Amino acid sequence: MSTRRDWPLWEVFVRARRGLSHVHAGSLHAPDAEMALRNARDLYTRRGEGVSIWVVKASDIEASTPDERDPFFDPAADKIYRHPTFYDVPEGVQHL
Amino acid sequence: MDTALFEYTGGLADDALVSAQRMGWWISRAPELEEDVALANIGLDQLGQARNLLTYAGEIEGEGRSEDDLAYLRDERYFRNVKLVERPMTDFGVAMARLLTFATYQLHLYRTLATGDLGERDETLAAIAAKAVKEVAYHVDHATHWVLRLGDGTEESHTRMQSALDAEWPYLEELFGPLDPVLTGRVADRSALRDAVLSDVRRVVTEATLSVPEVPPALGGGRDGLHTEHLGYLLAEMQHLHRSHPGAKW
């Protein structure tokens, strides 16, 4: 029997409705991008969760690693002036 | 009872029901988990169509038989599905060849029932069909993508996809049986769908670098309850639970 190559991994991003961003929904295996899109439709939108899907090959994603966490994220923590915490948020504002 | 409409609706229902049961065989057996889910979804779509159609067939008959009575308590001789859908489907190439041909047929059939040029359209069938059109359009799309990849893939996948097509092709003719004249203008005339369906399928087959089989049609008879030896086994498995425990519910 010939050796079987596994299908590559794809990351799936689903936009729940117009006006919202695509949000990472999970991952799946597929032989190519078109099939990945179809598999994503079956796996992640079968209960009406989405109006748009993106699929990205997992190997094409450049991700930060846990080792780099301190230099990447810590410097932001002590700069209070970067956070809009000095404003009163009017009531009824949802997406801020 | 409107016998012609009962038989016609029963044929549509049994095609979908038997096809769904065959599709269910693939659950846990597809090449990848993702394809498992896709085929299960497709089978469930078909089962949903069958349920609506069987319920309507029971209403036409007017003897109080429910969808379950019709699905689980009829014997093989009373099933009206074509032989195309009842034969074993345990090869992935065969599964995709069958889905491509059957779903393309269903797409044209349901479209005609829902929005075709019908003077005295049957409104219930039209409503059931209108809901199913989007489902089967996706089934066609799924099968098309696989047939293109397998046909135009490796030498091995090409050979196997071609033999799958060759095996299914003789059974296509039975889909396009003549319409009972009393139903003219009320439902889709399946014999009139032949050219459109075959031309759609041929386009995919050719694009997949496969050849359109030139084979004589197989003997029909499914619409009259004359089936291959395979349907009995399928029904035994499908009906066993309901017959052993009548009215069993989840």
Side-chain angles (χ1 to χ4, degrees):
Chain A
M1 195 174 154
S2 62
T3 53
R4 201 182 90 189
R5 274 183 308 152
D6 283 336
W7 289 348
L9 189 68
W10 301 77
E11 299 297 336
V12 180
F13 299 83
V14 176
R15 162 183 267 173
R17 55 193 161 86
R18 276 174 58 85
L20 296 186
S21 329
H22 286 73
V23 173
H24 186 232
S27 53
L28 53 77
H29 292 92
D32 55 48
E34 278 186 312
M35 296 304 280
L37 205 51
R38 280 158 182 79
N39 289 345
R41 176 261 195 198
D42 285 330
L43 288 168
Y44 294 109
T45 67
R46 51 191 295 223
R47 294 176 194 88
E49 293 93 335
V51 294
S52 164
I53 304 175
W54 289 345
V55 288
V56 182
K57 211 183 247 189
S59 60
D60 287 343
I61 293 178
E62 188 69 23
S64 63
T65 65
D67 296 346
E68 296 169 312
R69 198 180 63 192
D70 288 349
F72 259 58
F73 304 115
D74 266 7
D78 59 355
K79 297 181 177 58
I80 189 171
Y81 48 85
R82 287 182 183 165
H83 300 275
T85 48
F86 306 103
Y87 301 92
D88 292 326
V89 180
E91 269 182 47
V93 173
Q94 289 177 352
H95 300 291
L96 194 68
Chain B
M1 175 181 58
D2 188 338
T3 310
L5 189 61
F6 175 73
E7 291 285 325
Y8 184 90
T9 307
L12 263 53
D14 290 344
D15 282 353
L17 178 64
V18 171
S19 182
Q21 181 71 11
R22 282 283 178 234
M23 204 54 86
W25 183 91
W26 279 97
I27 296 172
S28 83
R29 292 178 167 114
E32 293 279 349
L33 178 68
E34 286 77 359
E35 188 62 19
D36 241 48
V37 177
L39 295 182
N41 266 337
I42 290 172
L44 283 174
D45 285 345
Q46 294 174 336
L47 189 66
Q49 295 158 20
R51 292 187 57 182
N52 289 332
L53 290 163
L54 284 174
T55 302
Y56 184 44
E59 286 166 14
I60 299 167
E61 188 187 42
E63 292 180 14
R65 286 205 283 181
S66 69
E67 49 174 313
D68 281 356
D69 294 333
L70 288 167
Y72 297 126
L73 299 175
R74 273 181 305 158
D75 287 326
E76 181 187 339
R77 191 65 177 76
Y78 296 93
F79 271 75
R80 294 289 179 259
N81 60 282
V82 288
K83 291 176 177 173
L84 175 75
V85 295
E86 74 194 32
R87 294 152 42 258
M89 197 172 75
T90 57
D91 174 275
F92 191 71
V94 167
M96 289 306 112
R98 186 167 315 165
L99 184 62
L100 176 68
T101 51
F102 179 61
T104 304
Y105 154 80
Q106 278 191 314
L107 183 59
H108 285 273
L109 172 73
Y110 289 152
R111 265 194 199 141
T112 310
L113 282 169
T115 56
D117 183 18
L118 299 172
E120 305 161 68
R121 180 188 315 284
D122 185 292
E123 293 300 338
T124 308
L125 281 181
I128 296 171
K131 181 174 177 291
V133 163
K134 282 182 200 165
E135 295 171 353
V136 294
Y138 186 76
H139 305 172
V140 172
D141 178 84
H142 188 83
T144 299
H145 277 89
W146 271 117
V147 171
L148 289 177
R149 279 162 181 73
L150 295 172
D152 198 9
T154 65
E155 199 178 320
E156 168 81 7
S157 73
H158 178 89
T159 311
R160 289 177 62 172
M161 196 60 235
Q162 184 67 56
S163 35
L165 271 180
D166 294 348
E168 297 308 292
W169 209 266
Y171 293 91
L172 297 190
E173 195 54 36
E174 194 186 1
L175 292 168
F176 312 116
L179 183 69
D180 188 325
V182 305
L183 294 175
T184 306
R186 298 166 62 195
V187 300
D189 177 359
R190 291 176 289 207
S191 64
L193 304 175
R194 182 194 283 109
D195 290 348
V197 171
L198 291 182
S199 119
D200 279 4
V201 174
R202 276 198 204 100
R203 200 178 319 123
V204 178
V205 169
T206 311
E207 199 188 330
T209 72
L210 297 158
S211 20
V212 177
E214 293 191 15
V215 285
L219 196 61
R223 299 274 185 236
D224 299 316
L226 303 174
H227 295 283
T228 64
E229 69 271 29
H230 307 295
L231 184 63
Y233 293 101
L234 180 146
L235 293 182
E237 190 169 59
M238 187 179 88
Q239 298 182 333
H240 153 259
L241 188 99
H242 189 88
R243 289 188 185 238
S244 307
H245 307 277
K249 282 194 182 346
W250 290 109

